[in-house]
Amino acid sequence: MNASRRTALFSVAASAALALSLSACQSGEGAKAEGAAAPVAKETVSASASAPAAAAGTSTSNNTGSGTSTAVGTAHKSNSTSAGAKKGTATPLCRAQDVKVSSERQDGPPYTHIVLTARNTSGHRCEMAGFPHIQFLESHKRDVPSVAKSKPAVPTVLNPGDPAFVLVKLSDGGVDEDNEVVNAFQLVLQGDSTVIAVDSSAGGGLAVDPAKTLTGYWTTELRNGADDF
């Protein structure tokens, strides 16, 4: 009887110990589960917190892209405007209607050279480009050759009222030259086909040898050396 009770008590004690052991194991696993859940919770919060940052970053990236697009558009627009302004403000060539041309003998006698003066009578700036295409005689249609060394280093730009000058050689001044008297002659400006008639009858006209004539380039002033020919 006592042995049976001991056996029963032993069984009860063993069962209790087993129950306690299982309870402890379950409690430990629960603790581990909770411990693992904590980082998950933190990661979730962190992810939630970073989501606005990522969204903000995306928004910033979009804004930057938009800003770049606007800058490129503005630059393109600015370049177009600049090109248009440049084109619009480029100095036009002087035309026959913009200037009044006169001639005057230089030095002499003998009078071997004349100075042509072209005064800007328009209300705007213009450029006297190149040299005048001069023909002195009806019987000699070839333009007077130009002298390269007289070409100015910068464009000859005239404000309203400003003059430009050209030195023109008529002859060598020799009595045995094949000279012809010229009371009027014509010229054409570079970039314009309009013929300008110049009166040269003062003082009995000009003695011109077509084989010796030369012309310089338009300049804002006559220069020693460059305009000596």
Side-chain angles (χ1 to χ4, degrees), residues 110-196:
Y111 297 102
T112 59
H113 291 74
I114 60 172
V115 175
L116 296 181
T117 301
R119 189 172 298 277
N120 183 0
T121 57
S122 73
H124 59 82
R125 285 162 55 92
C126 63
E127 178 186 348
M128 292 294 289
F131 54 89
H133 298 267
I134 304 170
Q135 292 184 0
F136 279 112
L137 301 167
E138 289 291 333
S139 59
H140 191 83
K141 292 296 185 181
R142 185 173 67 91
D143 288 352
V144 173
S146 63
V147 179
K149 71 173 183 176
S150 69
K151 184 177 181 178
V154 296
T156 301
V157 177
L158 304 180
N159 289 316
D162 286 351
F165 305 98
V166 162
L167 185 68
V168 181
K169 181 180 179 181
L170 304 176
S171 67
D172 285 337
V175 293
D176 296 329
E177 288 186 90
D178 188 14
N179 295 334
E180 295 188 43
V181 177
V182 174
N183 292 312
F185 60 93
Q186 64 184 33
L187 61 88
V188 173
L189 302 180
Q190 184 169 311
D192 189 4
S193 60
T194 304
V195 175
I196 299 175

